[in-house]
């Protein structure tokens, strides 16, 4: 099974909830928010897929909405796949993957810190790179780049 | 009734053993560790945000500051990611030069890792010896690109400079010297009773844990997982090189030490082969949309001047899309996730830095260890804070 | 206390390590006494940036491309319609010596000198402007 077939297999299995958005150079699959955990478990545990390694989690601010990106790798079949979940910009919330891959912990904290995506079910969702009292999420496109935060001590 | 209290010990942020400005909040029960929480971010520079306001070519010197002990590998990783986005490949000679410099950088990085590790555990001599040998590598880098630490020597589509005269000979001299030097380090450390006692069965990471927590690089291989991106996805010319992937068996600090030592020897082999096979030819890809024009033609070739300005003001616009490319950095898998919206600036750039993800496993493996082991474990993971905080 | 085989092995290993350090005792020194002795830098060394006013075409490409915006340039329209440079400065404290400016300069007005001892007591001294940017680099005051 090559990468494109994986994408089509996923589309067939989760009809209408999974959509292949890019095949070259990397396979990118868009997943509905409520199916994320199920798709991840399926990709991890099914013998032909075996995406057992979580490479990174991040998010992209598309102004109207946010995209949470998950990159998975199959170490036995030498493949990688990217999953994308669209979430609304005013209420970005996705289920946490820490139960499946403990490696998600720091990346989810970082995504929360820099982009404001909340991961429900994360054991310790606090800011990681910025101070706890920081205001705003710097990697949002609406965050001003030419201003310094006003600190009142 | 006797009651005891747990105590919180702050290691850092300026502790000399913390490899940078990192703070570890360690909860202690007597001499034993109950919990450990890495507090990071003191070196955060917002590189990912900076990248959104920079042309693709402008970001290369910034990647030097990620893992400042292996800048050439960072440059290479970033250039490969952009090349994947653009769908181009560097010419043969450029690839060989990149591999030579990147593998030398790997040796230099492991030398610092080893030296500072020894220093953390009280072995001062090894630091002096490794830094002496790293000096030879830094001289070679200076000869090649003019800088010793922050190289900025690769470009998208090739390298900045060709190898200077005398570089190959000097590199061969280095390759003749270094194996005996590595033997010296091994004589000093490998079977040294103090070194063994401090490291054996300390900070054991099982293969399942290593995969679940996303460890990469020498730390993953020390746990017995044979995974090296240079073998799995042979980018550049690694498929023509013969080298072994050293793996450990127990996954303790001693294995991580041993894997690094072996990797240095393997890197020497790769550099040796690359120097032998080095072909003549171009170092920069021959594409007018990417490579800068030759400056000597400028006085009588006006269209080239226009192209020069166009490339530097608007940059090259990759097609819309997103790529992720992971590269086997000395510390683990350094990856760049690039989202392009078709303009000359990256829409989003995410750096998957190995030290950051490797650090997650600290609380798990430090529970039950002693305070003195914290330093040994920390040093064995070889974190660099420039990369963790970005 | 009787000595076992293990203790003997440990002592042998320790002595082996000490042998390495002992051997190094009779090797020539590799360090140099820095302020009095100096090493020569290589030809491509990227030190303080030098600027040649005669060659400069006032295109401001360097100021635009510099990743850390260490270069400031003010241009003026000359009498014959050609642009001239009114003011040029490089903030050596911001400059990260990446070499991009000298690489991209279309007329070769920028170059790197081997000069790298840039410590100064006052911040103004780290700003190199106009005359200080060309010719021989200033001499360190701490020799």
């Amino acid at each position: 099974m090559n990468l494109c077939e994986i994408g089509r297999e996923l589309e067939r299995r989760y009809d209408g909830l999974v959509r292949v958005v890019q095949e070259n150079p990397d396979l990118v699959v868009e997943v509905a928010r409520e199916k994320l955990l199920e798709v991840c478990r399926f990709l991890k545990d099914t013998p032909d897929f075996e995406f057992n390694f979580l490479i990174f989690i991040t998010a992209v601010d598309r102004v109207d909405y946010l995209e949470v990106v998950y990159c998975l790798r199959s170490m036995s079949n030498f493949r990688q796949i990217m999953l994308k979940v669209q979430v609304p910009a005013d209420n970005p919330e996705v289920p946490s993957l820490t139960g499946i891959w403990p490696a998600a912990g720091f990346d989810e904290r970082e995504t929360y810190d820099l982009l404001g995506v909340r991961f429900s079910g994360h054991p310790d969702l606090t800011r990681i790179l910025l101070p706890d009292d920081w205001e705003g999420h710097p990697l949002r496109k609406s965050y001003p780049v030419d201003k310094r935060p006003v600190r009142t001590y | 009734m006797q009651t005891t209290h747990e105590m919180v010990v702050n290691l850092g942020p300026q502790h000399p053993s913390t490899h940078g400005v990192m703070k570890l909040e360690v909860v202690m029960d007597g001499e034993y560790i109950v919990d450990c929480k890495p507090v990071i971010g003191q070196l955060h520079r917002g590189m990912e945000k900076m990248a959104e306001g920079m042309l693709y070519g402008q970001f290369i010197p910034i990647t030097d500051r990620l893992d400042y002990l292996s800048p050439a590998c960072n440059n290479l990783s970033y250039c490969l990611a952009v090349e994947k986005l653009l769908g181009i490949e560097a010419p043969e000679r450029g690839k060989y030069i990149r591999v030579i410099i990147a593998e030398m950088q790997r040796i230099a990085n492991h030398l610092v890792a080893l030296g500072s590790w020894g220093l953390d555990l009280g072995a001062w001599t090894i630091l002096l010896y490794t830094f002496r040998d790293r000096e030879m590598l830094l001289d070679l880098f200076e000869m090649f690109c003019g800088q010793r630490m922050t190289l900025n020597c690769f470009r998208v589509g090739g390298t900045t400079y060709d190898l200077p005269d005398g570089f190959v000979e000097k590199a061969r001299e280095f390759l003749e010297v270094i194996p005996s030097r590595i033997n010296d380090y091994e004589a000093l450390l490998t079977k040294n009773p103090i070194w063994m006692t401090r490291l054996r069965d300390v900070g054991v990471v099982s293969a399942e844990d290593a995969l679940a927590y996303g460890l990469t690089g020498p730390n993953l291989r020390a746990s017995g997982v044979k995974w090296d991106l240079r073998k799995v996805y042979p980018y550049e010319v690694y498929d023509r090189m013969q080298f072994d992937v050293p793996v450990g068996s127990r996954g303790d600090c001693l294995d991580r030490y041993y894997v690094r030592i072996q990797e240095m020897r393997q890197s020497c082999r790769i550099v040796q082969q690359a120097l032998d096979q080095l072909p003549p030819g171009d170092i920069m890809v021959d594409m007018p949309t990417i490579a800068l024009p030759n400056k000597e033609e400028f006085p009588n070739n006006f269209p080239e001047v226009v192209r020069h300005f166009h490339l530097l003001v608007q940059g090259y616009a990759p097609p819309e899309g997103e790529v992720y490319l992971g590269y086997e950095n000395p510390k683990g898998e350094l990856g760049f996730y690039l989202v392009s919206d078709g303009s000359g600036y990256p829409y989003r750039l995410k750096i998957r830095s190995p030290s950051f993800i490797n650090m997650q496993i600290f609380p798990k493996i430090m529970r039950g260890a002693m305070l003195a082991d914290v330093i040994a474990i920390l040093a064995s993971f070889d974190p660099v804070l420039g990369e963790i905080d970005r | 206390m009787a000595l076992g085989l293990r203790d003997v092995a440990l002592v042998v290993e320790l002595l082996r390590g000490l042998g390495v350090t002992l051997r190094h005792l009779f090797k020539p020194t590799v360090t140099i006494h820095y302020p009095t002795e100096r090493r020569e830098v290589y030809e491509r060394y990227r030190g303080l940036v030098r600027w040649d006013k005669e060659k400069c075409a006032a295109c401001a490409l360097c100021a635009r491309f510099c990743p850390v915006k260490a270069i400031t340039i003010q241009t003026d329209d000359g009498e014959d319609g050609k642009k001239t440079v009114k003011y040029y400065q490089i903030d050596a404290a911001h400059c990260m010596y990446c070499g991009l400016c000298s690489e991209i300069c279309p007329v070769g007005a920028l170059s790197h000198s081997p000069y790298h001892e840039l410590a100064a007591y006052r911040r103004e001294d780290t700003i190199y402007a106009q005359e200080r940017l060309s010719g021989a680099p200033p001499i360190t005051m701490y020799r």
Side-chain angles (χ1 to χ4, degrees):
Chain A
M1 199 188 293
N2 64 15
L3 264 180
C4 304
E5 287 169 22
I6 288 182
R8 254 168 267 136
E9 168 73 17
L10 278 177
E11 270 183 342
R12 196 180 54 76
R13 191 174 285 265
Y14 299 96
D15 190 29
L17 294 165
V18 169
R19 193 165 60 90
V20 177
V21 288
Q22 180 186 312
E23 283 188 351
N24 223 347
D26 282 337
L27 177 68
V28 183
V29 175
E30 201 178 288
V31 182
R33 179 158 46 158
E34 57 274 14
K35 283 282 170 199
L36 176 70
L37 279 181
E38 204 183 315
V39 171
C40 285
R41 284 221 174 81
F42 171 75
L43 283 175
K44 190 187 177 193
D45 298 333
T46 317
D48 261 4
F49 294 75
E50 280 182 321
F51 285 90
N52 57 342
F53 190 82
L54 177 78
I55 305 178
F56 69 87
I57 297 176
T58 187
V60 184
D61 185 5
R62 299 278 185 183
V63 184
D64 302 329
Y65 56 93
L66 289 172
E67 276 173 357
V68 188
V69 182
Y70 301 86
C71 192
L72 310 178
R73 171 178 292 155
S74 160
M75 288 177 109
S76 43
N77 303 327
F78 311 138
R79 296 189 191 116
Q80 64 191 36
I81 181 174
M82 281 196 267
L83 306 180
K84 285 210 286 198
V85 180
Q86 280 191 11
V87 287
D90 51 341
N91 179 29
E93 186 162 356
V94 281
S96 167
L97 291 191
T98 39
I100 308 176
W101 288 284
F106 266 26
D107 262 348
E108 287 182 352
R109 276 178 72 186
E110 191 202 310
T111 311
Y112 165 72
D113 190 358
L114 301 180
L115 282 132
V117 180
R118 283 192 313 282
F119 292 86
S120 52
H122 191 285
D124 175 31
L125 196 65
T126 48
R127 287 189 181 269
I128 183 165
L129 292 177
L130 302 178
D132 288 336
D133 55 353
W134 194 269
E135 278 174 26
H137 301 286
L139 281 181
R140 292 274 187 109
K141 294 283 173 190
S142 56
Y143 192 86
V145 277
D146 52 347
K147 284 190 192 126
R148 283 171 184 272
V150 182
R151 301 294 290 268
T152 47
Y153 288 104
Chain B
M1 202 182 87
Q2 244 188 350
T3 53
T4 60
H5 295 283
E6 285 171 351
M7 194 164 84
V8 179
V9 176
N10 283 306
L11 275 179
Q14 265 96 31
H15 193 278
S17 309
T18 49
H19 293 251
V21 258
M22 184 185 66
K23 181 178 156 194
L24 279 178
E25 276 181 20
V26 189
V27 184
M28 309 281 304
D29 178 9
E31 191 69 8
Y32 294 93
I33 289 156
V34 180
D35 198 8
C36 148
K37 186 180 163 206
V39 180
I40 56 180
Q42 277 97 339
L43 212 59
H44 182 61
R45 290 151 289 177
M47 281 189 182
E48 293 172 11
K49 189 75 177 173
M50 276 158 84
E52 288 173 17
M54 283 184 181
L55 295 174
Y56 284 96
Q58 271 178 306
F59 191 65
I60 298 172
I62 311 285
T63 59
D64 288 338
R65 273 85 186 159
L66 269 176
D67 173 0
Y68 38 75
L69 295 175
S70 47
C73 299
N74 301 341
N75 289 168
L76 179 52
S77 173
Y78 176 72
C79 291
L80 284 171
V82 181
E83 283 168 16
K84 188 176 173 185
L85 192 62
L86 288 160
I88 58 169
E89 261 188 51
E92 283 292 285
R93 188 178 170 84
K95 281 184 183 174
Y96 272 97
I97 293 175
R98 285 173 174 202
V99 167
I100 291 170
I101 300 294
E103 287 305 317
M104 283 181 170
Q105 189 74 72
R106 190 182 306 274
I107 303 173
N109 175 74
H110 285 345
L111 285 174
V112 177
L114 192 59
S116 57
W117 192 352
L119 183 66
D120 285 359
L121 299 188
W124 168 241
T125 320
I126 184 78
L127 177 89
L128 298 174
Y129 289 179
T130 53
F131 271 64
R132 171 199 60 192
D133 299 338
R134 177 167 170 260
E135 194 65 23
M136 298 163 78
L137 283 169
L138 295 189
D139 278 351
L140 282 167
F141 296 149
E142 189 188 323
M143 207 172 163
F144 170 60
C145 69
Q147 248 348 347
R148 298 162 70 76
M149 288 285 282
T150 49
L151 302 183
N152 184 25
C153 54
F154 302 140
R155 294 288 175 272
V156 175
T159 69
T160 334
Y161 316 97
D162 204 341
L163 295 179
D165 297 336
F167 182 92
V168 177
E169 292 74 38
K170 212 157 178 283
R172 284 194 200 281
E173 259 172 54
F174 169 77
L175 288 175
E176 271 170 32
V177 174
I178 193 74
S180 65
R181 298 279 166 86
I182 297 177
N183 289 344
D184 276 359
Y185 311 147
E186 289 220 77
L188 279 174
L189 294 179
T190 303
K191 285 189 180 151
N192 183 316
I194 304 169
W195 186 255
M196 294 262 275
T197 325
R198 289 296 300 273
L199 298 188
R200 174 170 273 182
D201 295 329
V202 168
V204 181
V205 183
S206 69
E208 295 81 48
D209 277 354
L211 287 176
Y213 280 85
L215 294 196
T216 43
N219 304 325
L220 176 66
R221 291 194 281 276
S223 297
V225 183
K226 199 165 182 170
W227 179 262
D228 191 323
L229 288 169
R230 290 174 295 173
K231 283 274 188 205
V232 181
Y233 305 112
Y235 46 81
E236 299 298 84
V237 288
Y238 282 111
D239 48 346
R240 286 174 232 167
M241 305 289 163
Q242 294 191 340
F243 64 101
D244 304 326
V245 181
V247 287
S249 51
R250 294 185 304 274
D252 57 359
C253 289
L254 196 61
D255 269 355
R256 287 193 274 278
Y257 156 75
Y258 208 62
V259 164
R260 288 211 168 81
I261 288 274
Q262 295 301 325
E263 262 182 30
M264 279 198 263
R265 295 186 198 277
Q266 297 303 329
S267 291
C268 291
R269 272 178 77 188
I270 298 176
V271 176
Q272 184 81 55
Q273 291 172 51
L275 286 174
D276 290 342
Q277 299 173 13
L278 190 68
D282 287 342
I283 52 163
M284 194 70 188
V285 68
D286 187 21
M287 283 176 81
T289 50
I290 286 147
L292 287 179
N294 186 2
K295 274 193 229 173
E296 269 123 50
E297 293 173 13
F298 280 178
N300 39 25
N301 195 344
F302 189 67
E304 287 288 276
V305 181
V306 174
R307 184 162 76 82
H308 184 80
F309 274 77
H310 183 85
L311 269 176
L312 294 169
V313 173
Q314 297 196 340
Y316 27 76
E320 269 185 59
E322 48 206 89
V323 293
Y324 170 78
L325 190 117
Y327 167 81
E328 189 69 36
N329 224 37
K331 306 237 172 0
E333 177 183 343
L334 176 74
F336 285 89
Y337 168 67
L338 282 164
V339 181
S340 157
D341 59 349
S343 72
Y345 300 86
Y347 188 78
R348 172 89 171 87
L349 184 144
K350 150 89 184 166
I351 304 160
R352 187 241 188 248
S353 57
S355 302
F356 179 72
I357 307 225
N358 288 355
M359 187 164 271
Q360 283 183 92
I361 205 167
F362 278 15
K364 184 174 167 63
I365 58 173
M366 281 186 185
R367 248 167 240 142
M370 308 246 259
L371 184 60
D373 294 339
V374 173
I375 308 299
I377 295 172
L378 186 67
S380 79
F381 274 85
D382 186 21
V384 154
L385 269 287
E387 185 174 60
I388 291 173
D389 297 337
R390 280 159 291 163
Chain C
M1 199 179 89
L3 281 177
L5 197 62
R6 189 161 167 272
D7 299 294
V8 175
L10 293 187
V11 169
V12 168
E13 284 307 324
L14 272 181
L15 287 179
R16 209 153 72 96
L18 287 173
V20 172
T21 47
L22 191 69
R23 217 170 53 236
H24 279 84
L25 198 60
F26 302 105
K27 284 189 177 171
T29 26
V30 290
T31 49
I32 51 171
H33 296 264
Y34 164 60
T36 48
E37 293 171 46
R38 277 150 202 265
R39 62 181 279 273
E40 284 292 308
V41 295
Y42 286 95
E43 194 193 330
R44 287 178 180 173
Y45 186 78
R46 299 203 299 256
L48 182 66
V49 180
R50 305 274 82 194
W51 172 69
D52 190 340
K53 191 175 182 178
E54 304 306 313
K55 282 188 188 168
C56 182
C59 65
L61 195 61
C62 46
R64 203 190 156 95
F65 202 70
C66 177
V68 286
K69 302 280 174 269
I71 301 176
T72 312
I73 179 166
Q74 284 171 5
T75 53
D76 210 358
D77 283 330
E79 291 116 39
D80 51 349
K82 254 183 136 179
K83 269 189 171 178
T84 51
V85 185
K86 212 163 85 182
Y87 182 73
Y88 195 92
Q89 96 169 33
I90 292 177
D91 189 343
H94 270 134
C95 178
M96 56 182 188
Y97 308 98
C98 61
L100 283 178
C101 52
S102 59
E103 189 186 324
I104 64 164
C105 181
V107 288
L110 289 164
S111 60
H112 284 278
S113 63
Y115 181 62
H116 56 270
E117 289 149 324
L118 304 172
Y121 280 114
R122 293 180 309 141
R123 211 154 47 161
E124 297 82 54
D125 292 346
T126 62
I127 290 176
Y128 290 80
Q130 303 283 60
E131 294 81 30
R132 287 185 80 200
L133 268 170
S134 44
I139 297 163
T140 319
M141 45 204 282
Y142 317 105
R143 280 180 198 246

